[in-house]
Amino acid sequence: MARATSALLLALLAVTIAVRGQKPAAPSNQQAPPPLLLGSAWYPEQWPEERWEADLTLMEKAHLHLVRVGEFAWSTLEPSEGKFDLDWLERAVNLAGQHGIYTVLGTPTATPPAWLTEKYPEVLRVDENGHRDEHGNRLQYNWSSPKYRALSREIVRELAVRFGRNPYVIGWQIDNEISQTSTDDGTRQQFQDWLRRRYGTLTALNARWTTAYWSETYTDWSQIPIPKHGGVDSGNPGLLLSWREFISDTWRSYLLNQTDVIRPIADSRQFMTTNTMGFFQYYDHYVTESVLDLAAWDDYMPDGKIDPVFNGMAHDLARGFKHKNFWVMETQPGFVNWSNVNVPLRPGDERALVWHDIAHGADAVNFWQWRSALNGQEQYHGTLIGPDGTPVPLYPEVQQIGKELEQLGPVLADTHVVSEVALLHSYESRWAIEWQPQSVKFDPIQEMARYYAPLRRSVESVDIVSPEADLSRYKLVIAPALNVITAKVAENLIAYVKAGGNLVLTPRSGMKDEDNSLRVERQPGPLSALLGGRVEQFYALAAPVVVDGDMLHTDASIWAEELSVSSPETKVILRYGKSNGWLDGKPAVISRRIGRGSITYVGTVFDETAMRTLTGWLLAQSHVTVAPLLVPDGVEASTRVGKDRMVHILVNFADKEVTVHLPSTMKDEMYTGHNVQQIVLPVSGVAVLSEPR
Ligand code: GLA
């Protein structure tokens, strides 16, 4: 459609909305999609239209009810500037709808067409070596470019006018795996303006970044560089942190650039999301997710192995972005194509994977992709049908999963994950440790996993949230390696403990402030007074050290902090034994009760066995309800809670069949519909059990 016609339609729509004074309501012919959705990325633009019916029939036979389309189709949707062709996409969406398949529409801005970057080369990103990107791959655009944003608005507006009230379109994915940045002059200027807004004066910036160090003092905003290369010498820590924060804010405004166009046109039923990449860390997702409605992420395991701990943590991270159920927007059918050895999931593991997703709060799981493009960069990636258009060996397993999701959708509808325990996840802290690791063996995500694994086993659900989140709902909050504690976070944590919460800090906590500057108080900085103790010195360890106390006798490794107590109310829970000389006999874990709450500092890194004991102690002293469903090793149990029922999902990741004895009679929702006292799970087996609440 020509731009003029579309603009007229938009104007008419805007008048209608203004007259009614509200967003358009959902169309009356809209049927709610099923509560649990299985689907696939589908690229109708890559195939003759005569083929679509066969594809959609095969999807329907696999009980798929979802497709994501359009996210790379810009050159087909706008073949030349201002000449739009959306008719084919509308036909594809409507045809899918007739097969009971709902659509998430991807905005196509991850792949600008050749005519666009040829005419406006300034929208191409410039990498860290000063090279401007070229056409032919994806994500070649500059996320801060005003021209790129203007061009994006045009195509997105066309899509919104056409699909904003389409009954089959249930949501929008903005762009695709946003991630790349640019170091061009325009971006640098924006960054300098951003710094001026943040710091006000160069005097303040110079002081807060300690630029007297290495003669970095700036006398003009235009002198401030974009930090380019990694490593210890990569730049002043304040500059590095500001640059990542600028990146995050710029991604936020990048998303808003599109959602601000879509929202006033689309009816209220259509959600806004983008697909993230787990623990990807180059921007702060709490900043970007704040402008979206639904968290969605892309879940891949190139070695073909499902790691329930790391995969579970990534789900829980996504759930924490919006504090509600999330989507898996992409997952592999069998295998990927981008690692060194792209091993397939074992037979049965695709099903285990999907149920693991749902167990952690996913309401939709979408495969990438339906069928390989015959040409294009990803010819080897796993699919559901082959290049010949017929099912691959995995297809029957997907059919089974689809059938189960249809069957169990009503059981899991309106159920959510409810946790008494939270882990705090801080991008600033991860960045600060990444830039000055001190020991490459200390990995903040591993540190999180050390707590997550035993806690998740004991309580069947753990939230992962921002340190700025409302913590009042949690009995126990653990802040692994919270290296950067801003004034706002300190206030939040202190208020939490004073209101009766139980806070646990782990090594490297409270060392730095909002500028990534060292705090003038010893760790944990603003929490030291509340703790009644502090860190005297930190040490990276080459060899293990002994830790001793009533609770346990064990080795600790990687990192150890010598703690001290300054209040009679602060108890030494564990001490270092004979170790590296500096630590001998010094406190390793200290804890103070404060009213009904407590604050604990764990100064070192424990192994798996010790962590089970330590977390058991933490759970007990926080009065957390321990899950009644005790499952054998290798089985993961999760609970989703509804108004009148609890639904337990068990997945067997062990390499042998197991029998799970249930603490009470539960209804076997998946296989027999009968009440059971125990359930046998084969390798990769799944059970869904319910009980009244
Ligand atoms: C990412 C992308 C997809 C596809 C898959 C392949 O998640 O979003 O377009 O490239 O990887 O694994």
Side-chain angles (χ1 to χ4, degrees):
M1 187 197 293
R3 186 177 290 173
T5 327
S6 157
L8 184 69
L9 266 180
L10 177 61
L12 281 172
L13 194 66
V15 171
T16 321
I17 295 166
V19 168
R20 284 197 276 139
Q22 58 188 41
K23 276 168 70 68
S28 52
N29 57 344
Q30 167 66 18
Q31 276 200 338
L36 293 179
L37 287 164
L38 192 68
S40 181
W42 181 47
Y43 299 97
E45 71 274 23
Q46 296 168 6
W47 302 99
E49 193 161 338
E50 308 81 76
R51 170 68 206 182
W52 296 353
E53 180 62 36
D55 278 333
L56 294 164
T57 303
L58 279 168
M59 287 186 205
E60 198 179 343
K61 283 192 177 149
H63 307 269
L64 303 192
H65 289 286
L66 176 69
V67 282
R68 187 198 58 194
V69 299
E71 83 278 11
F72 300 126
W74 197 342
S75 67
T76 318
L77 292 166
E78 190 179 0
S80 62
E81 188 170 9
K83 295 267 177 295
F84 295 97
D85 179 5
L86 277 56
D87 295 347
W88 64 271
L89 183 55
E90 191 170 22
R91 289 196 298 277
V93 165
N94 290 342
L95 194 63
Q98 285 154 28
H99 283 266
I101 296 170
Y102 293 82
T103 292
V104 168
L105 205 54
T107 66
T109 48
T111 47
W115 61 256
L116 189 154
T117 51
E118 180 192 46
K119 182 162 179 196
Y120 307 105
E122 71 273 23
V123 306
L124 288 164
R125 62 184 288 268
V126 173
D127 71 17
E128 300 200 336
N129 298 315
H131 296 137
R132 204 173 269 285
D133 211 340
E134 291 175 1
H135 185 75
N137 268 307
R138 55 180 171 180
L139 299 172
Q140 67 267 43
Y141 63 86
N142 172 4
W143 93 129
S144 80
S145 158
K147 183 68 195 171
Y148 194 67
R149 290 181 179 206
L151 291 160
S152 301
R153 282 197 298 274
E154 295 296 318
I155 178 69
V156 166
R157 181 173 293 117
E158 293 294 322
L159 288 166
V161 168
R162 183 68 75 95
F163 295 101
R165 294 175 61 74
N166 184 302
Y168 302 122
V169 175
I170 54 176
W172 295 78
Q173 175 189 297
I174 309 299
D175 210 277
N176 191 79
E177 293 192 342
I178 56 172
S179 48
Q180 301 299 324
T181 58
S182 181
T183 64
D184 61 292
D185 290 345
T187 302
R188 183 171 172 189
Q189 169 80 53
Q190 286 186 37
F191 177 46
Q192 291 160 349
D193 292 345
W194 183 94
L195 289 168
R196 196 197 301 256
R197 286 195 298 279
R198 175 170 175 165
Y199 288 100
T201 64
L202 277 176
T203 313
L205 178 143
N206 281 320
R208 286 168 60 180
W209 289 5
T210 323
T211 52
Y213 189 83
W214 287 357
S215 262
E216 284 162 9
T217 314
Y218 299 107
T219 53
D220 196 291
W221 294 98
S222 65
Q223 297 158 353
I224 303 174
I226 287 176
K228 298 220 174 76
H229 301 286
V232 171
D233 291 348
S234 61
N236 174 291
L239 172 72
L240 292 173
L241 180 59
S242 288
W243 172 238
R244 289 271 170 99
E245 287 175 344
F246 167 80
I247 291 173
S248 310
D249 278 355
T250 308
W251 276 124
R252 181 177 177 276
S253 62
Y254 180 87
L255 295 171
L256 273 174
N257 179 59
Q258 298 190 26
T259 58
D260 280 353
V261 171
I262 302 169
R263 281 192 199 276
I265 302 171
D267 69 61
S268 53
R269 181 183 51 92
Q270 295 183 343
F271 61 76
M272 305 289 151
T273 190
T274 195
N275 51 338
T276 57
M277 295 178 277
F279 281 93
F280 180 80
Q281 64 161 339
Y282 292 101
Y283 61 90
D284 183 334
H285 294 43
Y286 296 114
V287 171
T288 49
E289 294 286 333
S290 67
V291 301
L292 300 171
D293 305 314
L294 175 82
W297 79 285
D298 296 348
D299 186 10
Y300 290 104
M301 45 234 72
D303 61 359
K305 293 202 181 84
I306 308 167
D307 182 329
V309 169
F310 282 89
N311 212 49
M313 284 205 315
H315 286 317
D316 297 349
L317 175 77
R319 199 180 64 244
F321 289 152
K322 303 301 297 179
H323 300 280
K324 63 178 191 186
N325 291 5
F326 63 96
W327 279 28
V328 173
M329 191 59 92
E330 295 181 16
T331 201
Q332 67 204 57
F335 48 87
V336 302
N337 68 315
W338 40 261
S339 184
N340 291 338
V341 183
N342 299 296
V343 180
L345 294 166
R346 297 177 307 185
D349 270 0
E350 196 76 62
R351 176 170 173 255
L353 178 67
V354 171
W355 278 106
H356 185 241
D357 301 349
I358 293 170
H360 282 256
D363 281 341
V365 181
N366 208 39
F367 293 108
W368 196 93
Q369 65 169 324
W370 176 245
R371 180 179 181 181
S372 309
L374 296 181
N375 216 313
Q377 279 88 324
E378 299 173 291
Q379 289 165 311
Y380 279 85
H381 201 283
T383 55
L384 297 179
I385 63 171
D388 63 345
T390 69
V392 298
L394 179 68
Y395 180 90
E397 188 173 325
V398 171
Q399 274 185 308
Q400 183 191 348
I401 305 168
K403 219 167 163 174
E404 288 172 351
L405 264 53
E406 279 177 352
Q407 177 200 332
L408 293 161
V411 176
L412 283 149
D414 296 319
T415 61
H416 308 277
V417 177
V418 180
S419 310
E420 293 181 359
V421 178
L423 290 168
L424 303 186
H425 171 255
S426 150
Y427 287 96
E428 294 93 330
S429 297
R430 282 174 64 197
W431 298 333
I433 292 171
E434 172 203 346
W435 294 320
Q436 300 206 16
Q438 191 69 1
S439 166
V440 291
K441 291 190 200 153
F442 191 97
D443 174 346
I445 301 302
Q446 293 278 358
E447 175 67 359
M448 179 181 278
R450 280 183 204 102
Y451 286 83
Y452 179 88
L455 287 169
R456 183 67 179 59
R457 238 189 110 62
S458 302
V459 297
E460 288 176 17
S461 72
V462 171
D463 283 356
I464 298 179
V465 298
S466 153
E468 293 184 7
D470 173 9
L471 303 176
S472 57
R473 70 187 89 173
Y474 303 114
K475 289 184 179 168
L476 174 62
V477 169
I478 300 187
L482 193 62
N483 198 241
V484 173
I485 297 190
T486 63
K488 196 168 169 193
V489 167
E491 209 178 290
N492 196 32
L493 298 182
I494 291 168
Y496 168 69
V497 173
K498 287 191 170 161
N502 296 281
L503 175 68
V504 181
L505 301 168
T506 90
R508 309 188 76 154
S509 291
M511 189 177 198
K512 296 185 160 185
D513 67 8
E514 34 271 274
D515 295 307
N516 202 9
S517 290
L518 290 173
R519 289 187 162 279
V520 287
E521 321 96 313
R522 297 277 178 83
Q523 294 167 251
L527 300 178
S528 302
L530 193 70
L531 177 66
R534 67 178 201 176
V535 175
E536 293 300 325
Q537 186 57 285
F538 56 82
Y539 302 102
L541 300 179
V545 296
V546 174
V547 172
D548 233 338
D550 291 343
M551 186 200 306
L552 50 82
H553 173 90
T554 186
D555 281 350
S557 60
I558 301 178
W559 192 271
E561 291 172 345
E562 175 188 335
L563 308 183
S564 67
V565 295
S566 55
S567 159
E569 290 164 22
T570 305
K571 307 273 174 273
V572 176
I573 308 297
L574 291 170
R575 284 183 187 276
Y576 297 101
K578 183 109 193 75
S579 57
N580 72 348
W582 299 108
L583 291 161
D584 296 2
K586 296 290 177 11
V589 177
I590 59 177
S591 185
R592 182 184 191 182
R593 296 218 68 93
I594 293 167
R596 286 177 298 113
S598 66
I599 175 166
T600 300
Y601 196 105
V602 179
T604 191
V605 176
F606 293 113
D607 68 12
E608 204 181 316
T609 319
M611 283 308 289
R612 283 197 186 197
T613 310
L614 179 67
T615 52
W617 179 79
L618 293 169
L619 289 168
Q621 78 152 6
S622 313
H623 305 289
V624 173
T625 320
V626 172
L629 227 167
L630 284 179
V631 287
D633 275 347
V635 176
E636 194 193 82
S638 309
T639 304
R640 287 179 53 152
V641 180
K643 230 200 200 134
D644 56 357
R645 62 191 180 285
M646 313 257 281
V647 186
H648 306 285
I649 300 175
L650 309 185
V651 185
N652 182 14
F653 293 108
D655 280 327
K656 58 177 193 313
E657 177 181 294
V658 295
T659 301
V660 181
H661 302 280
L662 306 175
S664 55
T665 308
M666 294 180 187
K667 185 174 171 200
D668 166 18
E669 298 278 3
M670 194 167 233
Y671 305 106
T672 62
H674 297 149
N675 286 340
V676 291
Q677 271 291 191
Q678 65 173 45
I679 194 109
V680 178
L681 294 170
V683 175
S684 309
V686 177
V688 177
L689 306 161
S690 74
E691 57 179 329
R693 222 184 131 197

